[in-house]
Each structure stands twice: as C-alpha cells, then as structure tokens.
Amino acid sequence: MRWIGDDCAVVRADAYAAVSTDVMVDGTHFRLGARCGPEDAGWRALAGAASDLAAMGAAPGEAYLAIVLPDALSDEDALAVHAGAEACAASCGLTIAGGDLAAGPVLTIAVTVVGWAPAPEALVGRDGARPGDLVGVTGELGAAAAGLAVLEGRAQGPEALVARHLRPRPRMAEGAALAALGARAMLDLSDGLASDALRIAEASGARLDLDATRLPLAQGVDVVAVQLGMEPAELPATGGEDYELCACVAPGSRAAAEAAGLRWIGRVSAGAPAVTWTGAASAERWRGYEH
Amino acid sequence: MRWIGDDCAVVRADAYAAVSTDVMVDGTHFRLGARCGPEDAGWRALAGAASDLAAMGAAPGEAYLAIVLPDALSDEDALAVHAGAEACAASCGLTIAGGDLAAGPVLTIAVTVVGWAPAPEALVGRDGARPGDLVGVTGELGAAAAGLAVLEGRAQGPEALVARHLRPRPRMAEGAALAALGARAMLDLSDGLASDALRIAEASGARLDLDATRLPLAQGVDVVAVQLGMEPAELPATGGEDYELCACVAPGSRAAAEAAGLRWIGRVSAGAPAVTWTGAASAERWRGYEH
C-alpha cells in the first residue's frame, strides 16, 4: 500500500480484482438499541460485504466504509461503528483503506470490499455446478434467523444465537480453501438456503436436490423453530444472513472439501434449474423465498 | 472484465488501484424536488467520487453504486438514479460494475470508484508542491455555489449555474494530462478553494500565495455574489462542489499545463503551511472554511 488520506487510497493490485458493495440501514437491516449497538452494526455491515469475497475465494484486500450518521448519534458512536467494522475486517484479513462520513436521518453503512486473485480461474463463480457434484455448506445454519427471533423477543433461546446474528463471521479461510481445491460453484448464504441454492441452480443450469434432514443446525435453532411454529430446517432455508458458504464440489474432491469444513446436504443433478427438498414437510412454502 | 452478477464483480486490474468512496444524502448534499430529480442526484453522487480519480490522474475503471431508496420513491426513481449515475460514469469513462439497493428513510447514494495506474509515480498526490511551483485551476469557479443559491431562491442568476451545480463534470481528461506532464500536487475542489488549497499546503509543507483577482469565475457568479453580499471570489473560495482541479506545476511545465487547461492563480513559496490571499478584502473570513 502506498498512501491513504489523499483524494484516493492507492494500493498495489494483483492481476484481478473482485469487488462487492453492501449497504445496511438502521430499521431495515438492523435496529439500534440496547442489544444492538453501533459497533455491532459496523461489524455486520463489513461482514456482509466481506462474505462475498469469501464466496469467490478471493484473497482479502481493502474495505471502504461510508457512514451516514444521524444527529442522535455522537462522534463516539461513529468511532464505534468504525471499530466494529475494523474488528471484523481484521478477522477477515481486510484493511480499511478509506471511507466517507456524512449526516443523515438514520445510521447507514455502505461497505465496498476489494479482493484479489492472480487469475480468473482462482475465483469460484455460481455457474460451474455439474450433475453429480456434491453440495455442501460450512459451519452451522439457522443461527442468524433464530438469533433475530430471540433478539426481537419472538422466541427464547441461547444468547449465542443472538451473538451469531449480530456478529456473523465471514468464511474467508474456508472460501479460499474451497477455491484452491477446485470447488465448481460457491456462494454465501445471505438470503436463506432455499433462495441462495436456486441462484446456483439457475446460474449453472442444473438442479440441486437437497435433504433438509442433513442441514447442520446451530445449537438452539430447533428450540427456537418450535416456538415459531416452524420445522427446524425452515429457519436456515428461509432466513438470511448466516453468511455460511454453500459450495458444489466434484466427488473426487470430497475428502479435501470435508477437511476445508464442508458438510454435505445434497447433490447436483441434470434437469431444469430448480431446488428440490426431501425431509421437510414445509418445503413447498419455501418457494416463496426463491425470488 | 470477466463477470458481473456473481457474489462480486471481477475485473482485470492494472498494477495499482486508486479507490475513493463518497456518500450523498437527500437533505444533506442535495434536496430532491421540482428542480433536482433522482437522475440529478445519481449524476452528482457519481461525479463526486469520480472527481477524486481525476484529482490523482488515475485511469477510469469501475464504479459501484449503493442506493438507499425511501418508500416515497418508486422503482422508476431508482432506475433514474442509476441512469443519472450511468450517464456521468459514461462521460468519465467509468463502468458501473456492481451495486446494492436497500430500503431506508431517505434517498442515499454511496459511490465507490476504482481507477488504475501502471505505477505509483503515474498518480499525483497532494504532497509534492515545491516553492516556485505555479498554482493553477481548471475550468471556471464558483458555479456550483452560485447555482445552489439560485436553486434555493437566495439569488437570481443564469440557469447555466444551476445546471453546473446539479451536474458537475469531473475533469478526467485534464487530470490525466496534468499527471502525464508531471504535476507535483493536485486535488479536486470539493469544499472550496480556501480549504482545499490549505490541504495541499499542509500535505506539501509549503505556503500557497493566491491572487483572488485571478480566479476564473463562471459567468454570472459575480452577479450572484453581489446579491449575497459577497465579493465574487468568496463563492469559489468558500463554496464547495465545483469539482474543478487545483494543481501545482513546476515552472518548466507552464506551457504544457496551460494546454491541459490550467489557468494560474498563484505560486507556491517557502514558509509554514498556509494559504495567503491578495486582492480580496474578505479573505480573512475565509479562514473559517479552512476545514
């Protein structure tokens, strides 16, 4: 990196840049209050964008942070937003290299992240899934949606779920490992598995057959689901912001992908682009989320 | 460019990236209404960020657009914001390669622009001004501040001033030409010449001696200034968003810099970092704007 604090940040580049922009708004993506502070909001906004780099296996580069601050928040609150984003960036290997601060009616955080790759082939898109590929996910699912229900008082459950909602961890290392072993298609679970898996299906021109009973659920998700009148799998299928990765991998890479953290939830098959579910009585309803 | 519409936009890079982020909010940076539509807002937000690339002489690359849309605006309005940004981007040689759209209380537009350079030396910072350098500006000054006064009904003046306020034109070509001829320091006039020139002085550790009578004023700025009870030079000195460039150039590059569009307004001299003014009775007041 050469200089920051000029008209632009100037950074050394690799051959290809992967760039993503996310904006989060108080009242839409989070609700500032006793249990969600400016630092949480900063973390979450950074995580949402960084997760897109993980989903392509890009090497973390720089993040740029535009903050709109309402009168009701202080300079300390602005610093807290930045500190939260900075903590998440550091955990992802990203450097906050620039930004902007403006006044407006509600806290709004726009994050642009830049990742790098030596060649386009080093990055994983959504369009490479082939019939016979295994479909897997990292980590545990449903924590963000269940945590939000607990946060909003719609259900009772472990505090750890709330923490997972407020401070999701982008899967940078797993994304890089899965790209390195040749994952064929990958994305991050930002809108819910039902709709996100359909994006892979549509981009790849293939069908994803998923087994709801195999979804790895975070602890307490089942308890929260019952209180909400849902099957446990419905929370990760229709609830967003888990920011785990979903990847399609050739069968020959099974062991390496498991070592990289994938757990299998289904298979890719020939057929019109769609997602089919087994093991879930309510799966018909999930289609509404397949936008 | 390889692909857009995946988790990230993926673009081919040059050796160095110059990146800037700007956010503009309805009610703070513009006021949507009969004379300022969503398309104008999109243009201005893009222009504000693109101007930072011009100020370093970076080759235009990509722009990323995060839009927060209130309920009161329609999908057509969102498209109009995008169309305005797209028109400005095209005029700058920038490609809009990605973005995000979210709901929120007021129209907010965050723009991140990426420019490229083959080497750090191809970019012009703020810190290279040396005693003896000539100080010049591109274009005509004061139009944005005067246009805003006309737009808000605080003065009467040519409609062209309003257009200059609503649709500023980043000086991409001039910035590139000035970088190519070895300009030593450069920035874009976003906050007003008095405070922006001080930034060069402070970064370079030198004094800028400016002559207010030599500022090239846009037509009608003098008439508007009189109505506002100001000296004409006060508008460009204290009014932001002209987005013209201010550059410091070695005397040997005088002719080339003039050919690139610079007009001389002063000199760099040895001394503590400061901006001195001649030819303006009100210059003492301008210090308040120096930050």
Side-chain angles (χ1 to χ4, degrees):
Chain A
M1 189 153 317
R2 186 162 171 256
W3 73 79
I4 293 178
D6 211 294
D7 294 289
C8 302
V10 178
V11 303
R12 193 190 304 267
D14 200 349
Y16 286 81
V19 184
S20 181
T21 294
D22 253 41
V23 59
M24 293 198 184
V25 186
D26 185 14
T28 303
H29 303 86
F30 57 87
R31 202 170 295 276
L32 285 180
R35 298 180 71 186
C36 174
E39 204 160 333
D40 297 308
W43 177 292
R44 282 190 76 225
L46 202 295
S51 184
D52 289 326
L53 297 181
M56 300 198 84
E62 297 76 38
Y64 302 88
L65 202 61
I67 300 173
V68 176
L69 201 70
D71 283 343
L73 295 183
S74 64
D75 289 352
E76 284 69 34
D77 292 321
L79 291 174
V81 172
H82 200 277
E86 180 70 47
C88 182
S91 78
C92 294
L94 284 157
T95 303
I96 296 181
D100 195 15
L101 178 64
V106 297
L107 180 62
T108 303
I109 310 169
V111 179
T112 301
V113 290
V114 182
W116 300 101
E121 296 74 36
L123 298 170
V124 184
R126 299 172 173 178
D127 59 352
R130 296 290 170 265
D133 284 355
L134 304 171
V135 182
V137 293
T138 60
E140 296 166 331
L141 307 184
L148 181 61
V150 173
L151 189 65
E152 295 182 344
R154 291 183 280 114
Q156 297 198 311
E159 272 307 301
L161 293 175
V162 175
R164 292 280 296 274
H165 168 76
L166 292 175
R167 303 240 174 166
R169 295 195 168 269
R171 294 291 184 179
M172 306 301 292
E174 291 84 348
L178 290 163
L181 64 84
R184 286 181 155 154
M186 187 156 65
L187 51 56
D188 63 316
L189 298 175
S190 54
D191 290 343
L193 185 55
S195 51
D196 288 325
L198 186 63
R199 294 198 173 104
I200 290 182
E202 289 177 339
S204 298
R207 204 176 72 208
L208 269 62
D209 299 321
L210 305 184
D211 182 349
T213 66
R214 301 182 69 179
L215 300 188
L217 299 180
Q219 196 190 353
V221 167
D222 50 356
V223 173
V224 170
V226 166
Q227 297 171 65
L228 299 173
M230 292 177 174
E231 287 184 279
E234 188 165 353
L235 278 170
T238 64
E241 297 173 350
D242 271 332
Y243 296 121
E244 296 294 344
L245 301 178
C246 175
C248 300
V249 172
S253 302
R254 172 191 282 265
E258 288 173 357
L262 274 201
R263 286 196 261 184
W264 309 114
I265 62 168
R267 282 237 176 214
V268 180
S269 64
V275 175
T276 72
W277 288 94
T278 54
S282 64
E284 199 59 33
R285 270 196 275 147
W286 304 350
R287 285 169 194 269
Y289 294 84
E290 291 171 359
H291 23 104
Chain B
M1 193 151 318
R2 185 162 172 255
W3 73 79
I4 294 177
D6 212 293
D7 294 289
C8 302
V10 177
V11 304
R12 193 188 306 267
D14 201 348
Y16 285 82
V19 184
S20 181
T21 294
D22 253 41
V23 59
M24 294 199 183
V25 186
D26 184 16
T28 303
H29 303 87
F30 57 87
R31 203 170 293 276
L32 285 181
R35 298 179 73 185
C36 174
E39 205 160 334
D40 297 309
W43 177 292
R44 282 189 75 226
L46 203 299
S51 184
D52 289 325
L53 297 181
M56 300 199 84
E62 298 75 38
Y64 302 87
L65 202 61
I67 301 174
V68 177
L69 201 69
D71 284 343
L73 296 183
S74 64
D75 289 352
E76 285 67 36
D77 291 321
L79 290 173
V81 171
H82 200 277
E86 180 69 48
C88 182
S91 79
C92 293
L94 283 159
T95 302
I96 297 181
D100 195 14
L101 178 65
V106 297
L107 180 63
T108 304
I109 310 169
V111 180
T112 301
V113 291
V114 182
W116 299 102
E121 297 73 36
L123 297 170
V124 184
R126 298 171 174 179
D127 57 353
R130 297 288 170 266
D133 285 355
L134 305 171
V135 183
V137 293
T138 61
E140 295 166 331
L141 306 184
L148 180 61
V150 174
L151 188 65
E152 295 182 344
R154 290 183 280 114
Q156 297 197 313
E159 271 308 300
L161 291 176
V162 176
R164 292 280 295 274
H165 169 76
L166 292 176
R167 303 238 175 169
R169 295 193 168 271
R171 295 292 185 180
M172 305 300 293
E174 291 83 349
L178 290 163
L181 65 80
R184 288 189 158 145
M186 186 157 66
L187 51 56
D188 62 316
L189 298 175
S190 54
D191 291 343
L193 184 55
S195 50
D196 288 325
L198 184 63
R199 293 199 172 102
I200 290 181
E202 288 177 341
S204 298
R207 205 177 72 208
L208 269 64
D209 299 321
L210 305 183
D211 181 348
T213 66
R214 300 183 70 180
L215 301 188
L217 299 180
Q219 196 189 353
V221 167
D222 50 356
V223 174
V224 170
V226 167
Q227 296 171 65
L228 299 174
M230 291 178 174
E231 288 184 279
E234 189 166 352
L235 278 169
T238 65
E241 296 174 348
D242 271 332
Y243 295 121
E244 297 293 345
L245 301 178
C246 175
C248 300
V249 173
S253 302
R254 171 192 283 267
E258 289 173 356
L262 275 201
R263 288 195 258 183
W264 308 116
I265 62 169
R267 282 240 177 212
V268 181
S269 65
V275 175
T276 72
W277 287 95
T278 54
S282 64
E284 200 59 34
R285 271 195 277 149
W286 304 350
R287 285 168 194 269
Y289 293 85
E290 291 172 1
H291 281 267

